[in-house]
Amino acid sequence: MKILHVLYSGLGGHGNIFFAMINADVKKEFVYEALFYGIEEVRQDFITECEKNKVKWYFSKKNTKLDIKYYLRIMRLIRKSNPDVILLHGSAYILPAKFAAIFSSKKCRIIVRETQANHLKTKAQWVSLVGSMIFADKIVCLTEEFKYQIEKKLGWLFYKNKVTVISNGINIEVYKPGNKLALKEIVVGMQSRLVRIKDHLTLIKAFSILKNEMKGTGIILKLKIAGDGDFKNELVKYTNESNLSNDVEFLGMIPEKELVDFLQSLDIYVHATLGETMSTAVMQAMACSLPIVASNVNGISNMVEDGVTGTLVTVQNEKRL
């Protein structure tokens, strides 16, 4: 059986889940292919992992503007793969997937793994989810709470028999505590796409406040941000204007092996965001035994218990953070 995963080309949970599923298939019962999409080029470590696992992959680059031909390319690439199962990591491409399945030479099933935080969904994303309810064979939610929110929002358009809950997982043989040496330098870090639905700006503002408060203590503070995205230029500009360019480092896209090293090099992990579904990044940091400071939003508050397994703070509140 061939399974085609349709997933984002850049930093995020899609790639982690995809390769974790391949590695978990120890009996090699399935054939995997990947169709990467996005405004970013395919991460080099994704290409390396595909080559290592002998996974055939395709890529369709998206323009920032509306591009009808792009969706036709997605459909053609799905048809070219001719899979038994199309696994969509998100509802956005349900229509190209459905048309490709209709014209397939064999019965092709569609599974949608819905990941976008519900309160951050646009109208277009809700419409795509309704399309998934109609055209997909199964929809996977990450938590019961997430499923309940969708059911409440969609009402009679929620097809209960199609929806199931399968939570994310990570490889704790890869993500584990490191052996960081005790230094006079405290390193704070965050990994995610640099997009507006995250809260990097509040993180940088909070770091600036902390730098001023720690003057004269002899303690050196550093902030490292891993990831890339269309909000990066604004974040870099704000960092430079705040005279923090020597203290805040933007690492860009980093492969998984270096991501583990990055997490193990930190003293504190911070995840400032406006919303999540089930944050893989936070789970990875927790597996590395890092202290967690995170936004008190859905997708994190159901994973981190405030004052027990981490500290939760209100969004866009740099003083509290």
Side-chain angles (χ1 to χ4, degrees):
M1 179 182 287
K2 182 193 289 186
I3 305 173
L4 174 69
H5 286 249
V6 182
L7 65 158
Y8 185 59
S9 59
L11 182 68
H14 293 188
N16 289 315
I17 295 299
F18 173 52
F19 292 111
M21 290 179 73
I22 292 175
N23 293 329
D25 182 15
V26 293
K27 294 182 180 179
K28 306 301 178 188
E29 296 179 283
F30 304 100
V31 175
Y32 300 91
E33 291 189 358
L35 169 51
F36 296 104
Y37 65 83
I39 59 174
E40 303 172 40
E41 297 292 333
V42 184
R43 293 179 60 178
Q44 183 56 50
D45 59 320
F46 286 176
I47 296 174
T48 301
E49 282 295 309
C50 283
E51 291 173 349
K52 185 178 80 173
N53 289 286
K54 298 180 180 178
V55 171
K56 188 175 182 179
W57 62 276
Y58 313 88
F59 175 52
S60 183
K61 189 166 186 177
K62 189 179 188 301
N63 295 324
T64 53
K65 298 179 181 179
L66 181 64
D67 184 0
I68 301 298
K69 292 181 179 179
Y70 166 74
Y71 292 93
L72 293 175
R73 288 197 303 272
I74 293 283
M75 184 181 73
R76 285 197 293 266
L77 289 171
I78 294 174
R79 290 190 66 191
K80 184 177 180 180
S81 171
N82 194 28
D84 298 283
V85 176
I86 304 167
L87 202 163
L88 302 175
H89 292 258
S91 296
Y93 301 103
I94 184 61
L95 288 181
K98 184 60 179 179
F99 281 117
I102 290 172
F103 294 107
S104 176
S105 60
K106 55 188 174 183
K107 183 179 180 180
C108 180
R109 287 167 289 177
I110 301 174
I111 300 172
V112 175
R113 179 176 163 269
E114 184 61 29
T115 60
Q116 173 68 308
N118 289 321
H119 72 285
L120 296 178
K121 279 185 173 68
T122 63
K123 288 182 179 179
Q125 288 170 330
W126 280 112
V127 170
S128 294
L129 180 54
V130 170
S132 294
M133 286 289 170
I134 298 169
F135 297 122
D137 295 278
K138 282 289 182 182
I139 296 175
V140 176
C141 294
L142 303 186
T143 67
E144 289 289 348
E145 180 185 24
F146 186 69
K147 175 186 172 184
Y148 171 75
Q149 291 168 352
I150 292 174
E151 183 174 7
K152 187 176 179 181
K153 176 76 173 181
L154 297 186
W156 63 273
L157 290 171
F158 182 84
Y159 295 2
K160 192 173 291 188
N161 63 319
K162 287 188 176 184
V163 183
T164 189
V165 175
I166 304 175
S167 297
N168 283 343
I170 58 170
N171 188 343
I172 58 173
E173 294 180 1
V174 174
Y175 292 93
K176 56 188 177 182
N179 297 308
K180 190 176 188 302
L181 298 174
L183 301 171
K184 288 185 177 180
E185 182 178 88
I186 297 176
V187 184
V188 180
M190 176 176 170
Q191 59 146 328
S192 77
R193 290 178 295 136
L194 304 187
V195 292
R196 294 180 186 277
I197 61 173
K198 305 300 180 183
D199 201 12
H200 291 94
L201 196 57
T202 298
L203 171 58
I204 295 170
K205 289 178 180 178
F207 180 76
S208 178
I209 293 171
L210 198 57
K211 283 287 294 184
N212 288 329
E213 289 183 353
M214 298 297 285
K215 281 181 179 178
T217 64
I219 297 174
I220 300 170
L221 293 176
K222 295 291 182 181
L223 174 60
K224 295 184 178 181
I225 297 174
D228 207 345
D230 56 15
F231 198 40
K232 180 177 179 179
N233 289 340
E234 289 185 48
L235 293 173
V236 171
K237 180 182 177 183
Y238 181 83
T239 299
N240 293 337
E241 289 174 350
S242 302
N243 298 316
L244 292 171
S245 56
N246 292 327
D247 305 301
V248 179
E249 185 177 1
F250 292 90
L251 302 176
M253 304 293 289
I254 54 180
E256 184 174 43
K257 177 59 177 74
E258 293 180 24
L259 185 59
V260 176
D261 294 338
F262 162 71
L263 288 170
Q264 292 178 344
S265 74
L266 302 179
D267 296 287
I268 301 169
Y269 183 79
V270 179
H271 202 81
T273 178
L274 302 182
E276 300 286 341
T277 305
M278 186 177 185
S279 174
T280 301
V282 171
M283 285 197 295
Q284 291 168 342
M286 294 175 81
C288 292
S289 291
L290 287 171
I292 307 294
V293 180
S295 300
N296 190 1
V297 295
N298 291 334
I300 292 182
S301 59
N302 61 338
M303 295 168 52
V304 177
E305 185 178 355
D306 188 30
V308 179
T309 55
T311 298
L312 299 178
V313 300
T314 52
V315 298
Q316 298 180 318
N317 186 338
E318 59 266 28
K319 290 184 179 180
R320 173 66 180 137
L321 182 59

